[in-house]
Amino acid sequence: MDGLYGDLVMDHYRNPRNRSPISDADIEAEEFNPFCGDRATLQLKLDGRGNICGVSAQAEGCSIIQAATSMLCDQLQGKSLDEVAEIGERYRLALRNGAEGESELGDLRALQVVRQYPVRIKCALLPLTALEEGIKAYREKTG
Amino acid sequence: MTTTFNVNKIRNDFPILKQQVNGCPLVYLDNGATSQKPQSVIDAIVNYYSTTNSNVHRGVHTMSQQATDGYEGARAKVRQFINASDDREIIFTRNTTEGINLVAHSYGRQNIGPGDDIIVSNMEHHSNIVPWQMLCEEKGANLRVVPIDDAGELLVDEYEKMLSSRTKLVSITHVSNALGTILPAAQIARMAHAHGAPILFDGAQAVPHMPVDVQELDCDFYVFSGHKLFGPTGIGILYGKAEYLEAMPPFLGGGEMIKSVTFEKTIYNDLPYKFEGGTPDIAGAIGLGAAIDYVNDLGFDQITAHEDELLRYGTDALSTIEGLKIIGTAEHKAGILSFVMDLAHPHDIGTILDEQGIAVRTGHHCAQPVMQRFQIPATARASLAFYNTKEDIDALVKGIDRVIEVFS
Ligand SMILES: Cc1ncc(COP(=O)(O)O)c(C=O)c1O
């Protein structure tokens, strides 16, 4: 049984990327899972053209939340906010239907296995929800 | 009289326990969430719908009379089960949550005012916190919380200090669902009464494990759920002393709870019907009655002895696992083994155990203040019933070994 706990998931869980906080982030978001008290916090820094030039993330909770947070952040460097929205959609679809032929998602593809564990999909989606909320709030603020 | 305790024979009475889950024999250790049902309970429900189904208390025809007899017969069984003195003191509800809300709405709104205190403990289920918070907010009253120690014992001295002439109600769990602590209920009740406050016990986790005698406890209200007592979902019990229930206004208005209705004046029905507005869960009540018969046949002497031995066996086994910590180590416990592991989050423990057919609960168990008290986000919880075996515990330990393998 590798099941949920494949090498890539365990690697991101044990060595989460992008942990160091950003002091002057443009976008900050935090999302809780009220069901279990788990938490994902994200910070993004944008360059002059509105592309992401800095990413930081912290997650507390199970291996899936931590791995998903780390994997998602890995995909964000250099992307525009529209591109981020697209990645989010792809990821959501992969969690529902699988990620066959989906090359854009990077390590996030490994999380398509969560499909087989419906109660854990919430965990895998938590950092994405945080990211989307953060971007929404940023857009409302900056018009 | 009781027969000898043969756990394999008992397991045969529970069809669901023969299931395979994820290719493994089911090891059901989530009894605190809900218990499984013996065939006799399932049969009682099927039989009711197959032969008797009618509404209660409102027909002259034969089946309606039979349904009423079954429903009222179940009430009498519940009355005996908790040794209440009168059937009128047994109110059928949907579950524990509804029982507590009934008391909060009916007794609470009539008797609690600005500046009054309601006392709960730090180890309540959310259903024994939120209704009181809502009431306090509405009335300008204060919710006071009795602290617990690191073992999960109630700090009785702190409780004593908290009681005063402002205390208008004490509502405390009899057994903690997150920690397994059995609280000193009779003492808690005596102390509340010494300050003139009525006492409600949340017995959801107590009645499946130990005999409860509401007269001996001298409690004013006692609530529990049928589904944790080997009965069906959808049926629960509120016991209240008649003197309290008589003085309380109804909870839900409608049919069944009235004697006469005109647009000028409605006369409420007598106890217990005053609190049973609308058509009740008749099959549920009859199923609960069958569950109580089943438990009575086994007898609590044997149930408690078996479960105590299992709890000791499980506690010993889990204690030897490095990096595992049992949360809730009170001297008197019932049925609950809550734990955390250094290596793995409770969700991950739950998933890996599930893959081996082992059902435990993971999360905060609707008791977030307990998690905050122990500064943990969640626990994994194995909760026992009389049909569990040492083999179930051995499977749990083997399952935990697998967690360690995956995460180290
Ligand atoms: C101590 C305690 N109180 C109350 C409840 C709520 O029971 P129900 O959901 O049946 O209303 C539970 C169930 O988990 C419980 O363990």
Side-chain angles (χ1 to χ4, degrees):
Chain A
M1 175 208 78
D2 254 3
L4 199 48
Y5 303 103
D7 291 345
L8 214 46
V9 170
M10 293 307 280
D11 181 47
H12 277 268
Y13 166 58
R14 294 205 169 99
N15 313 297
R17 330 297 201 243
N18 306 294
R19 294 278 288 190
S20 15
I22 298 174
S23 57
D24 57 344
D26 295 298
I27 297 176
E28 293 193 85
E30 183 173 49
E31 192 70 27
F32 288 90
N33 181 348
F35 170 70
C36 57
D38 292 350
R39 177 199 348 224
T41 314
L42 279 96
Q43 294 179 304
L44 301 178
K45 177 95 193 117
L46 304 179
D47 65 15
R49 298 198 320 270
N51 291 337
I52 294 170
C53 63
V55 183
S56 162
Q58 265 90 42
E60 282 168 31
C62 67
S63 59
I64 299 305
I65 282 180
Q66 302 212 35
T69 305
S70 173
M71 289 169 166
L72 180 64
C73 286
D74 254 3
Q75 297 307 305
L76 302 181
Q77 225 16 285
K79 300 285 191 328
S80 72
L81 296 186
D82 288 340
E83 285 170 324
V84 169
E86 219 170 280
I87 292 170
E89 269 323 294
R90 285 220 176 89
Y91 177 47
R92 224 181 271 282
L93 276 177
L95 286 177
R96 199 183 314 143
N97 306 327
E100 271 73 43
E102 189 55 85
S103 58
E104 312 279 322
L105 285 173
D107 289 354
L108 277 174
R109 295 185 72 225
L111 287 174
Q112 60 177 306
V113 57
V114 178
R115 266 183 312 156
Q116 293 155 32
Y117 302 83
V119 294
R120 303 297 295 276
I121 287 178
K122 275 199 296 280
C123 313
L125 279 176
L126 195 77
L128 179 63
T129 317
L131 180 66
E132 289 170 342
E133 288 298 316
I135 291 175
K136 191 164 144 238
Y138 173 78
R139 286 190 153 141
E140 277 163 13
K141 196 175 68 191
T142 57
Chain B
M1 257 328 286
T2 54
T3 47
T4 53
F5 196 83
N6 176 343
V7 74
N8 287 323
K9 183 163 164 292
I10 289 165
R11 290 178 70 83
N12 264 327
D13 294 335
F14 290 78
I16 209 169
L17 296 179
K18 301 182 183 98
Q19 286 221 107
Q20 302 259 320
V21 171
N22 294 324
C24 305
L26 170 66
V27 175
Y28 189 75
L29 293 171
D30 195 17
N31 296 285
T34 197
S35 60
Q36 300 304 344
K37 324 303 174 198
Q39 190 65 48
S40 59
V41 168
I42 299 166
D43 288 347
I45 296 166
V46 170
N47 186 46
Y48 168 75
Y49 281 123
S50 314
T51 67
T52 321
N53 179 50
S54 294
N55 215 322
V56 289
H57 302 135
R58 50 191 87 169
V60 293
H61 63 82
T62 303
M63 286 200 316
S64 172
Q65 190 52 50
Q66 286 167 345
T68 304
D69 290 348
Y71 183 68
E72 292 304 323
R75 195 190 307 277
K77 287 177 189 178
V78 173
R79 197 246 313 141
Q80 279 173 2
F81 183 66
I82 58 172
N83 194 33
S85 57
D86 194 326
D87 285 359
R88 296 183 313 137
E89 299 179 315
I90 305 297
I91 314 291
F92 283 117
T93 62
R94 280 190 306 142
N95 48 34
T96 303
T97 304
E98 186 172 291
I100 296 172
N101 277 275
L102 190 160
V103 176
H105 276 261
S106 172
Y107 181 82
R109 292 171 104 181
Q110 193 176 52
N111 292 284
I112 285 156
D116 288 343
D117 287 347
I118 297 171
I119 295 180
V120 298
S121 86
N122 199 167
M123 55 182 146
E124 301 309 322
H125 187 279
H126 293 164
S127 64
N128 196 25
I129 300 174
V130 182
W132 307 121
Q133 272 175 332
M134 290 163 70
L135 180 65
C136 285
E137 196 156 308
E138 179 184 324
K139 296 290 186 178
N142 309 305
L143 190 65
R144 310 287 305 269
V145 182
V146 185
I148 58 178
D149 70 12
D150 290 342
E153 306 270 16
L154 189 83
L155 294 176
V156 176
D157 292 350
E158 297 295 320
Y159 169 53
E160 173 74 66
K161 282 188 226 155
M162 222 169 256
L163 287 160
S164 76
S165 58
R166 287 190 311 278
T167 309
K168 290 292 149 61
L169 184 78
V170 179
S171 188
I172 284 192
T173 194
H174 192 179
V175 171
S176 156
N177 71 315
L179 303 169
T181 313
I182 303 175
L183 282 83
Q187 185 189 5
I188 289 169
R190 255 194 325 274
M191 289 165 69
H193 289 156
H195 290 82
I199 174 89
L200 181 154
F201 286 119
D202 171 354
Q205 298 292 344
V207 288
H209 300 295
M210 58 172 99
V212 168
D213 182 331
V214 292
Q215 295 190 73
E216 197 179 293
L217 292 177
D218 194 22
C219 56
D220 304 293
F221 301 103
Y222 196 98
V223 292
F224 61 93
S225 299
H227 70 95
K228 295 181 199 275
L229 183 63
F230 317 99
T233 54
I235 192 81
I237 297 297
L238 163 66
Y239 158 81
K241 279 186 185 159
E243 60 194 90
Y244 279 98
L245 295 177
E246 297 276 15
M248 283 159 55
F251 176 44
L252 299 175
E256 187 83 15
M257 53 74 70
I258 50 87
K259 267 189 179 153
S260 81
V261 176
T262 67
F263 282 111
E264 288 70 41
K265 183 160 177 57
T266 289
I267 301 171
Y268 301 136
N269 206 338
D270 298 326
L271 290 178
Y273 312 111
K274 181 171 91 175
F275 291 106
E276 294 182 359
T279 300
D281 186 349
I282 305 162
I286 290 170
L288 176 57
I292 287 174
D293 287 342
Y294 188 91
V295 169
N296 284 338
D297 278 350
L298 289 181
F300 272 114
D301 286 351
Q302 302 195 77
I303 290 174
T304 311
H306 176 71
E307 290 185 2
D308 282 352
E309 190 180 333
L310 274 186
L311 190 61
R312 214 172 310 118
Y313 184 79
T315 305
D316 289 349
L318 294 194
S319 302
T320 60
I321 299 175
E322 210 176 314
L324 183 149
K325 184 167 177 229
I326 296 178
I327 305 292
T329 49
E331 190 183 340
H332 299 290
K333 277 182 66 174
I336 305 273
L337 277 166
S338 236
F339 60 94
V340 291
M341 293 174 72
D342 294 341
L343 275 177
H345 186 277
H347 272 178
D348 293 318
I349 300 172
T351 294
I352 293 175
L353 293 179
D354 179 55
E355 282 179 319
Q356 300 163 79
I358 304 165
V360 299
R361 172 109 186 251
T362 64
H364 52 58
H365 316 297
C366 296
Q368 280 180 324
V370 175
M371 302 300 125
Q372 287 148 14
R373 167 63 181 76
F374 287 91
Q375 299 186 322
I376 47 178
T379 74
R381 180 188 74 179
S383 51
L384 307 171
F386 53 69
Y387 45 64
N388 286 123
T389 61
K390 287 187 176 167
E391 288 73 30
D392 290 339
I393 304 278
D394 293 341
L396 174 67
V397 170
K398 221 171 121 230
I400 293 171
D401 285 344
R402 177 72 191 140
V403 174
I404 294 171
E405 214 175 289
V406 172
F407 276 85
S408 54

